[in-house]
Amino acid sequence: MNLNSAQTPSTADDWKQLIAKTSQPQMIFRRLLVWIAVAMVSAVPSFLLAIVSGHQNWPAYVAMLLGILLFAFMLATIPRPTIPQTRRTLLRHTTPPTPCPPTRDPIAAFTDLAIQPAEWITERGGVHTIPTVPPAATVEWSRVVMFLIDNINDKQDTARRETAFLLFLITPALVLAPGVGGDRTLARDVNRRCRLFLNGHLSQLIDEYDRGQTTARARREQRTGSETASTTRKRAARISRLVSAGQFGKARRELLSPGVATSTPEVVQQLRDKHPARQQPIDWNHIQSNPRTQVEISWELLEKVLRTSPKLSGPGLTGLRQDHFRALLFSKLSQSDKSALSTFFTDIANARVPPAAIDPLLSSTLIPILKVAGKEDVRPITLPESLLKIPARCIGRSFRRKLNTLFTSVHQLGEGVSGGLEAAVHSLQILLSQNHEFLALSIDMKNAFNSIRRADVAKQVYRHFPELVPFFKMCYQPASKLYLRLVDGTFEILTSDEGTRQGEPLAGTFFNLGFLVILEQLQLMFPKVTPLAIHDDVTLIGPPED
């Protein structure tokens, strides 16, 4: 019986019947052929060496051949305590599949589970996902993404659209979690999970994710070494991945960075102090939230952003990375898929997001970065969701020329100027060398990004870029949650209610817009003074009397 041509069984009993059909004589005959072939191949060099050397003792050769055949026959016929090798191989490499529940709609299955993405993720201590989608799994991954986006783009069924958006937030955990078998079986695992997802088996995927995280946690607990050694290993592994991906600049910054602060009670309190309450409400009565023109994200712009966005950038709370969207470019998207992706991110850029999805979409992971090694003074950096980072990058690229013109008019060199810091230093040196009586005053504002009033930023956004008002209102009108991972793996929830969140692609742009009015008033009040600004670091050059 040809086992390879047999039809794939569907149940465990069918597998047993298939194995039983392979009779013992057939198995003996096959094993006999195999052993004879092995013995003959092993004996050929001896025969050739004897013939070449002239020792042609044919009776000895015949006796040797008969011995080989007898030995092979004995190996083939001796009964073995377990099932034959061919059948063991069949069972080992083709495990009987467990019966699958009937196929159902993934969105209906998610509705039945009644999961709140932010709570579901924080209960599990965050989501761990693979950095990139394996090339062999990009097609199945694109099917999952396009299924969700097609349902989100459907404006007719509001409830289904909202559910699909929420499901999108936990999809990375269900599909792109690290595999138990490592990189060797990763592509196969991702393809299998994608098919389970599209068939609506979300409960099975959740159970698999929880088991995988339990196994990974047990492995981490078994590792010996201090917390410092573990942090050093993680940092070294990240630097190695950045170098392998060609991100040498980010690897250098990671290497020179003092590192991440441990979330001690003192650090937590410091982070709370750096996120003040809102000082002044935004007056939306005098700011039009529905501009005549809207932001358009074409496929050409989106593709360019996906190709040029930094590789291996940190994910948000859901584990969804920009690299996961970049993988779609290698899956041979159809024209309708490209149009759907363009529509999806255009809707986000214009704040056309289901209300229930805004809170989890704005939630970010908070990372306390040390300013100086050995001290607990930290800089709060947020890791926003990729569903916000990608349209924000598209907005920044679309309005880049107008932004550059606006900022350079007030000598704001922190954005849009290549080598802005070097340009500021050279300008300072030229001004002081040409005007020996001038003085330079350097001002560094404390916690500027988190302290600038959102009401002031909103006015400047409406004044210069009314098309961006809906996006700014969606991102900064509500107070957003910042999730800080503590030493024990749990999360401390902080609130961002004022300022711009460092780490977001447009945080510097919105800060510069809010800070613009100060630089303009400074030039009007002191026309002989030249300000040179790198975001919140300002150097004033002018005569001493001013």
Side-chain angles (χ1 to χ4, degrees), residues 33-172:
L33 293 179
V34 171
W35 282 113
I36 290 176
V38 171
M40 293 298 294
V41 171
S42 303
V44 164
S46 301
F47 287 136
L48 293 178
L49 183 62
I51 294 173
V52 172
S53 61
H55 300 285
Q56 299 182 1
N57 190 355
W58 296 108
Y61 299 158
V62 173
M64 183 184 297
L65 181 60
L66 291 176
I68 290 173
L69 295 175
L70 179 61
F71 180 69
F73 183 76
M74 291 175 60
L75 290 175
T77 55
I78 291 177
R80 305 180 65 178
T82 58
I83 61 175
Q85 177 66 29
T86 303
R87 284 183 279 176
R88 288 210 316 273
T89 303
L90 183 64
L91 284 176
R92 184 173 66 249
H93 293 289
T94 322
T95 306
T98 56
C100 292
T103 302
R104 59 175 309 195
D105 178 30
I107 297 179
F110 181 72
T111 303
D112 294 341
L113 292 174
I115 290 177
Q116 295 298 325
E119 297 177 2
W120 185 87
I121 291 169
T122 52
E123 286 174 358
R124 287 155 176 78
V127 170
H128 303 278
T129 56
I130 54 180
T132 57
V133 179
T138 54
V139 174
E140 291 293 334
W141 166 242
S142 67
R143 290 181 59 205
V144 170
V145 173
M146 296 316 303
F147 168 80
L148 293 169
I149 287 180
D150 288 340
N151 282 276
I152 294 173
N153 289 343
D154 185 8
K155 309 294 194 304
Q156 303 298 324
D157 193 341
T158 305
R160 184 176 177 86
R161 178 172 182 260
E162 181 177 292
T163 305
F165 209 112
L166 295 176
L167 175 57
F168 205 160
L169 298 178
I170 71 165
T171 297

Side-chain angles (χ1 to χ4, degrees), residues 106-264:
I107 297 179
F110 181 72
T111 303
D112 294 341
L113 292 174
I115 290 177
Q116 295 298 325
E119 297 177 2
W120 185 87
I121 291 169
T122 52
E123 286 174 358
R124 287 155 176 78
V127 170
H128 303 278
T129 56
I130 54 180
T132 57
V133 179
T138 54
V139 174
E140 291 293 334
W141 166 242
S142 67
R143 290 181 59 205
V144 170
V145 173
M146 296 316 303
F147 168 80
L148 293 169
I149 287 180
D150 288 340
N151 282 276
I152 294 173
N153 289 343
D154 185 8
K155 309 294 194 304
Q156 303 298 324
D157 193 341
T158 305
R160 184 176 177 86
R161 178 172 182 260
E162 181 177 292
T163 305
F165 209 112
L166 295 176
L167 175 57
F168 205 160
L169 298 178
I170 71 165
T171 297
L174 305 183
V175 176
L176 299 178
V180 179
D183 295 339
R184 182 172 52 87
T185 62
L186 189 56
R188 185 174 61 190
D189 289 340
V190 172
N191 282 326
R192 176 181 55 81
R193 293 174 192 157
C194 288
R195 288 190 287 269
L196 287 173
F197 180 93
L198 293 173
N199 289 331
H201 307 320
L202 303 187
S203 298
Q204 182 177 341
L205 289 172
I206 291 174
D207 293 340
E208 181 179 334
Y209 177 80
D210 290 339
R211 288 195 304 270
Q213 292 305 301
T214 302
T215 303
R217 194 178 301 111
R219 290 176 179 175
R220 288 195 297 268
E221 292 174 355
Q222 291 175 357
R223 294 175 184 169
T224 58
S226 63
E227 181 182 347
T228 304
S230 176
T231 304
T232 304
R233 285 195 299 268
K234 292 180 181 178
R235 191 174 181 186
R238 172 165 172 77
I239 293 173
S240 177
R241 288 196 300 269
L242 288 172
V243 172
S244 301
Q247 301 292 306
F248 301 110
K250 293 182 68 174
R252 176 180 174 274
R253 290 192 295 271
E254 181 75 22
L255 188 62
L256 298 178
S257 171
V260 179
T262 304
S263 299
T264 60

Side-chain angles (χ1 to χ4, degrees), residues 468-489:
L468 302 185
V469 170
F471 186 77
F472 177 83
K473 184 176 182 180
M474 178 184 72
C475 294
Y476 287 103
Q477 166 59 24
S480 58
K481 297 178 181 177
L482 305 177
Y483 289 84
L484 174 67
R485 186 188 295 274
L486 302 180
V487 178
D488 58 359

Side-chain angles (χ1 to χ4, degrees), residues 300-322:
E300 291 73 18
L301 173 62
L302 178 60
E303 182 181 15
K304 188 177 296 185
V305 167
L306 291 177
R307 291 190 184 278
T308 58
S309 59
K311 296 180 181 178
L312 299 179
S313 59
L317 194 66
T318 64
L320 187 61
R321 304 170 184 260
Q322 294 178 94

